[in-house]
Amino acid sequence: MVASIGIDFGTTNTVLALAQADGSVATARFTLDGTTAGGCRTVLTFTPGDAAAAPVEVEIGPWAIRRYLAAPAECRFVQSPKSYLGSRLFQETRIYGRAYKLEDIVAAFLGELTARAEGLDGPVPACVAGRPVTFWGSDPDDGLAMARLRAAYGEAGLGRPGFAYEPVAASYYFATRLTQDATVLVADLGGGTTDYSVIRYGIGDGPPRVTPIAHRGVGIGGDRFDFRIVQNAVAPLVGKGTGYRSFGKRFDIPAAYFNRIANWHEFSFLRTPEVLRDLRQLARQAEAPERLERLLALVDGNLGFHLNHRVTAAKAALSAADSVVLSLADLDVDIACEIARNDFDDWIADDLAELERHLDLVLDDTARAAGQVDVVFMTGGSSLVPAVRRLFERRFGADRIQAGDEFQSVAKGLALIGLADDRRAWTYDGV
């Protein structure tokens, strides 16, 4: 019987872990049309429902994607709500006549998540929820983000969970591998953020003695790497770097178009009659009209999800291959390019430098040099990027780096914290 659940609510994917009273833990499965996954894409669709029983119907993850791809004009597609948690610019949005605050959207997702998770039957047991060390966005408000998360969990019927830093939860899961006292650095490289925690573990009889030492976070993760691929490989094919003429003068094609196709959660902002009208006008005035026609095909065809999926797949393939071809030709869009891993490494070089700068800061906070860290636990999907792994191997040596369960360790750690007698030492209530 499930005794505790952990929810790693992510920017791109969300993982729910189920811990049994005996200490065993596994991730919940989600199955659609015979395909089963251990995580759920953090997306929702809202569609008009029965006016009396359910004015608006909500679907999440693969169910939402299926609904959206079948009839994009007949639903409202919401992506990456975690990205806005700390932003005061997002107050509410109206969906089919109803006002939704951000916490309402997150609550709708969490409610469907627990309802569809296989192996979670009956009342939801104790819940421990993850949070990043630093929320994503421009000047994020930590207090606002946590107030929204706390409200969303309550509205979803999950009570008042304990919240734990995501890298701390990963370290709790990884700590079962330790056989002696160790100073541990956890690097959680997710979709929206990279979070660091330094923790001292004392290993003896019973649970490890734990001393959290320092935490740091930065808003750089897998989505930033995707942005670099779009900006450098795709955007030049759809007009970046070209111009148009108006009243006898030359102007650059506005960068906002390319920024929004590169930030996948902003792509929908381009699909308005006004933007489509402006793009058609630009195509008539452009130096390279065929490139603007490709941009129009992307936007008018509502292919933002497809573009994001192909870019993410290309990035993953570069973890093993020296080059990969990214193409949308099968969707009748004349976009195809070869991406070399060396070029990708160059594109993300500034991001890696910023990750290393924050790594130095968290080590400074501990008054420890890199050589005084005994073990480095790397988790999160972006830890699989070879250039990221090389950064840590250069700083700490390959022999001190441990990894595994890159996509599930945070959720599993959260669920196991829920079983701990000293749970309060690991969590707080989000106030």
PDB file of all heavy atoms in Angstrom, residues 394-410:
ATOM      1  N   ARG A 394      35.908  17.777 -15.511  1.00  0.00           N
ATOM      2  CA  ARG A 394      37.092  18.633 -15.439  1.00  0.00           C
ATOM      3  C   ARG A 394      37.277  19.187 -14.025  1.00  0.00           C
ATOM      4  O   ARG A 394      38.404  19.300 -13.530  1.00  0.00           O
ATOM      5  CB  ARG A 394      36.964  19.772 -16.455  1.00  0.00           C
ATOM      6  CG  ARG A 394      38.059  20.834 -16.337  1.00  0.00           C
ATOM      7  CD  ARG A 394      38.004  21.815 -17.495  1.00  0.00           C
ATOM      8  NE  ARG A 394      36.697  22.436 -17.653  1.00  0.00           N
ATOM      9  CZ  ARG A 394      36.267  23.467 -16.935  1.00  0.00           C
ATOM     10  NH1 ARG A 394      37.022  23.984 -15.974  1.00  0.00           N
ATOM     11  NH2 ARG A 394      35.070  23.981 -17.160  1.00  0.00           N
ATOM     12  N   ARG A 395      36.166  19.552 -13.371  1.00  0.00           N
ATOM     13  CA  ARG A 395      36.261  20.164 -12.045  1.00  0.00           C
ATOM     14  C   ARG A 395      36.486  19.134 -10.929  1.00  0.00           C
ATOM     15  O   ARG A 395      37.184  19.415  -9.955  1.00  0.00           O
ATOM     16  CB  ARG A 395      34.972  20.952 -11.748  1.00  0.00           C
ATOM     17  CG  ARG A 395      34.764  22.173 -12.630  1.00  0.00           C
ATOM     18  CD  ARG A 395      35.867  23.215 -12.419  1.00  0.00           C
ATOM     19  NE  ARG A 395      35.925  23.663 -11.041  1.00  0.00           N
ATOM     20  CZ  ARG A 395      35.237  24.692 -10.561  1.00  0.00           C
ATOM     21  NH1 ARG A 395      34.454  25.399 -11.366  1.00  0.00           N
ATOM     22  NH2 ARG A 395      35.340  25.048  -9.293  1.00  0.00           N
ATOM     23  N   PHE A 396      35.874  17.953 -11.065  1.00  0.00           N
ATOM     24  CA  PHE A 396      35.876  17.017  -9.936  1.00  0.00           C
ATOM     25  C   PHE A 396      36.532  15.674 -10.244  1.00  0.00           C
ATOM     26  O   PHE A 396      36.819  14.914  -9.317  1.00  0.00           O
ATOM     27  CB  PHE A 396      34.434  16.773  -9.458  1.00  0.00           C
ATOM     28  CG  PHE A 396      33.729  18.010  -9.011  1.00  0.00           C
ATOM     29  CD1 PHE A 396      32.850  18.672  -9.849  1.00  0.00           C
ATOM     30  CD2 PHE A 396      33.958  18.537  -7.755  1.00  0.00           C
ATOM     31  CE1 PHE A 396      32.201  19.838  -9.448  1.00  0.00           C
ATOM     32  CE2 PHE A 396      33.313  19.689  -7.335  1.00  0.00           C
ATOM     33  CZ  PHE A 396      32.436  20.344  -8.182  1.00  0.00           C
ATOM     34  N   GLY A 397      36.734  15.373 -11.523  1.00  0.00           N
ATOM     35  CA  GLY A 397      37.243  14.063 -11.894  1.00  0.00           C
ATOM     36  C   GLY A 397      36.108  13.078 -12.079  1.00  0.00           C
ATOM     37  O   GLY A 397      35.145  13.058 -11.296  1.00  0.00           O
ATOM     38  N   ALA A 398      36.228  12.246 -13.090  1.00  0.00           N
ATOM     39  CA  ALA A 398      35.147  11.314 -13.417  1.00  0.00           C
ATOM     40  C   ALA A 398      34.885  10.315 -12.299  1.00  0.00           C
ATOM     41  O   ALA A 398      33.754   9.839 -12.132  1.00  0.00           O
ATOM     42  CB  ALA A 398      35.473  10.581 -14.721  1.00  0.00           C
ATOM     43  N   ASP A 399      35.906   9.990 -11.505  1.00  0.00           N
ATOM     44  CA  ASP A 399      35.750   8.965 -10.474  1.00  0.00           C
ATOM     45  C   ASP A 399      34.856   9.410  -9.327  1.00  0.00           C
ATOM     46  O   ASP A 399      34.352   8.580  -8.563  1.00  0.00           O
ATOM     47  CB  ASP A 399      37.118   8.546  -9.934  1.00  0.00           C
ATOM     48  CG  ASP A 399      37.892   9.708  -9.326  1.00  0.00           C
ATOM     49  OD1 ASP A 399      37.801  10.832  -9.866  1.00  0.00           O
ATOM     50  OD2 ASP A 399      38.586   9.492  -8.306  1.00  0.00           O
ATOM     51  N   ARG A 400      34.641  10.715  -9.160  1.00  0.00           N
ATOM     52  CA  ARG A 400      33.792  11.193  -8.064  1.00  0.00           C
ATOM     53  C   ARG A 400      32.356  11.471  -8.505  1.00  0.00           C
ATOM     54  O   ARG A 400      31.525  11.885  -7.690  1.00  0.00           O
ATOM     55  CB  ARG A 400      34.381  12.475  -7.468  1.00  0.00           C
ATOM     56  CG  ARG A 400      35.520  12.217  -6.508  1.00  0.00           C
ATOM     57  CD  ARG A 400      35.923  13.473  -5.776  1.00  0.00           C
ATOM     58  NE  ARG A 400      36.732  14.360  -6.606  1.00  0.00           N
ATOM     59  CZ  ARG A 400      37.001  15.619  -6.305  1.00  0.00           C
ATOM     60  NH1 ARG A 400      36.503  16.162  -5.219  1.00  0.00           N
ATOM     61  NH2 ARG A 400      37.756  16.346  -7.109  1.00  0.00           N
ATOM     62  N   ILE A 401      32.050  11.259  -9.762  1.00  0.00           N
ATOM     63  CA  ILE A 401      30.717  11.589 -10.286  1.00  0.00           C
ATOM     64  C   ILE A 401      29.861  10.333 -10.352  1.00  0.00           C
ATOM     65  O   ILE A 401      30.287   9.299 -10.868  1.00  0.00           O
ATOM     66  CB  ILE A 401      30.834  12.246 -11.671  1.00  0.00           C
ATOM     67  CG1 ILE A 401      31.540  13.594 -11.537  1.00  0.00           C
ATOM     68  CG2 ILE A 401      29.452  12.429 -12.301  1.00  0.00           C
ATOM     69  CD1 ILE A 401      31.807  14.280 -12.849  1.00  0.00           C
ATOM     70  N   GLN A 402      28.664  10.443  -9.819  1.00  0.00           N
ATOM     71  CA  GLN A 402      27.683   9.363  -9.895  1.00  0.00           C
ATOM     72  C   GLN A 402      26.413   9.907 -10.551  1.00  0.00           C
ATOM     73  O   GLN A 402      26.081  11.080 -10.406  1.00  0.00           O
ATOM     74  CB  GLN A 402      27.355   8.810  -8.510  1.00  0.00           C
ATOM     75  CG  GLN A 402      28.539   8.162  -7.802  1.00  0.00           C
ATOM     76  CD  GLN A 402      28.135   7.446  -6.540  1.00  0.00           C
ATOM     77  OE1 GLN A 402      26.992   7.023  -6.376  1.00  0.00           O
ATOM     78  NE2 GLN A 402      29.088   7.283  -5.624  1.00  0.00           N
ATOM     79  N   ALA A 403      25.738   9.038 -11.278  1.00  0.00           N
ATOM     80  CA  ALA A 403      24.508   9.430 -11.957  1.00  0.00           C
ATOM     81  C   ALA A 403      23.615   8.204 -12.083  1.00  0.00           C
ATOM     82  O   ALA A 403      23.962   7.108 -11.641  1.00  0.00           O
ATOM     83  CB  ALA A 403      24.816  10.029 -13.337  1.00  0.00           C
ATOM     84  N   GLY A 404      22.495   8.393 -12.718  1.00  0.00           N
ATOM     85  CA  GLY A 404      21.514   7.319 -12.860  1.00  0.00           C
ATOM     86  C   GLY A 404      20.152   7.810 -12.421  1.00  0.00           C
ATOM     87  O   GLY A 404      20.044   8.712 -11.590  1.00  0.00           O
ATOM     88  N   ASP A 405      19.115   7.234 -12.990  1.00  0.00           N
ATOM     89  CA  ASP A 405      17.746   7.690 -12.707  1.00  0.00           C
ATOM     90  C   ASP A 405      17.648   9.199 -12.903  1.00  0.00           C
ATOM     91  O   ASP A 405      17.041   9.922 -12.101  1.00  0.00           O
ATOM     92  CB  ASP A 405      17.316   7.334 -11.276  1.00  0.00           C
ATOM     93  CG  ASP A 405      16.860   5.888 -11.154  1.00  0.00           C
ATOM     94  OD1 ASP A 405      16.512   5.302 -12.196  1.00  0.00           O
ATOM     95  OD2 ASP A 405      16.856   5.350 -10.045  1.00  0.00           O
ATOM     96  N   GLU A 406      18.248   9.694 -14.009  1.00  0.00           N
ATOM     97  CA  GLU A 406      18.343  11.142 -14.207  1.00  0.00           C
ATOM     98  C   GLU A 406      16.989  11.834 -14.195  1.00  0.00           C
ATOM     99  O   GLU A 406      16.870  12.988 -13.782  1.00  0.00           O
ATOM    100  CB  GLU A 406      19.062  11.446 -15.530  1.00  0.00           C
ATOM    101  CG  GLU A 406      20.558  11.259 -15.495  1.00  0.00           C
ATOM    102  CD  GLU A 406      20.995   9.834 -15.756  1.00  0.00           C
ATOM    103  OE1 GLU A 406      20.116   8.966 -15.967  1.00  0.00           O
ATOM    104  OE2 GLU A 406      22.208   9.571 -15.757  1.00  0.00           O
ATOM    105  N   PHE A 407      15.948  11.142 -14.648  1.00  0.00           N
ATOM    106  CA  PHE A 407      14.637  11.770 -14.745  1.00  0.00           C
ATOM    107  C   PHE A 407      13.730  11.455 -13.553  1.00  0.00           C
ATOM    108  O   PHE A 407      12.648  12.018 -13.445  1.00  0.00           O
ATOM    109  CB  PHE A 407      13.940  11.326 -16.041  1.00  0.00           C
ATOM    110  CG  PHE A 407      14.659  11.765 -17.293  1.00  0.00           C
ATOM    111  CD1 PHE A 407      15.488  10.899 -17.968  1.00  0.00           C
ATOM    112  CD2 PHE A 407      14.513  13.052 -17.776  1.00  0.00           C
ATOM    113  CE1 PHE A 407      16.165  11.299 -19.118  1.00  0.00           C
ATOM    114  CE2 PHE A 407      15.177  13.469 -18.913  1.00  0.00           C
ATOM    115  CZ  PHE A 407      16.007  12.586 -19.586  1.00  0.00           C
ATOM    116  N   GLN A 408      14.160  10.548 -12.666  1.00  0.00           N
ATOM    117  CA  GLN A 408      13.255  10.070 -11.618  1.00  0.00           C
ATOM    118  C   GLN A 408      13.778  10.241 -10.203  1.00  0.00           C
ATOM    119  O   GLN A 408      13.026  10.076  -9.240  1.00  0.00           O
ATOM    120  CB  GLN A 408      12.937   8.577 -11.852  1.00  0.00           C
ATOM    121  CG  GLN A 408      12.294   8.297 -13.203  1.00  0.00           C
ATOM    122  CD  GLN A 408      12.025   6.821 -13.423  1.00  0.00           C
ATOM    123  OE1 GLN A 408      12.382   5.983 -12.595  1.00  0.00           O
ATOM    124  NE2 GLN A 408      11.390   6.496 -14.533  1.00  0.00           N
ATOM    125  N   SER A 409      15.049  10.578 -10.042  1.00  0.00           N
ATOM    126  CA  SER A 409      15.639  10.571  -8.707  1.00  0.00           C
ATOM    127  C   SER A 409      15.012  11.611  -7.787  1.00  0.00           C
ATOM    128  O   SER A 409      14.862  11.379  -6.585  1.00  0.00           O
ATOM    129  CB  SER A 409      17.148  10.797  -8.799  1.00  0.00           C
ATOM    130  OG  SER A 409      17.443  12.029  -9.415  1.00  0.00           O
ATOM    131  N   VAL A 410      14.627  12.775  -8.320  1.00  0.00           N
ATOM    132  CA  VAL A 410      14.031  13.806  -7.468  1.00  0.00           C
ATOM    133  C   VAL A 410      12.707  13.317  -6.896  1.00  0.00           C
ATOM    134  O   VAL A 410      12.463  13.392  -5.676  1.00  0.00           O
ATOM    135  CB  VAL A 410      13.844  15.127  -8.239  1.00  0.00           C
ATOM    136  CG1 VAL A 410      13.037  16.127  -7.401  1.00  0.00           C
ATOM    137  CG2 VAL A 410      15.187  15.729  -8.610  1.00  0.00           C
TER     138      VAL A 410
END
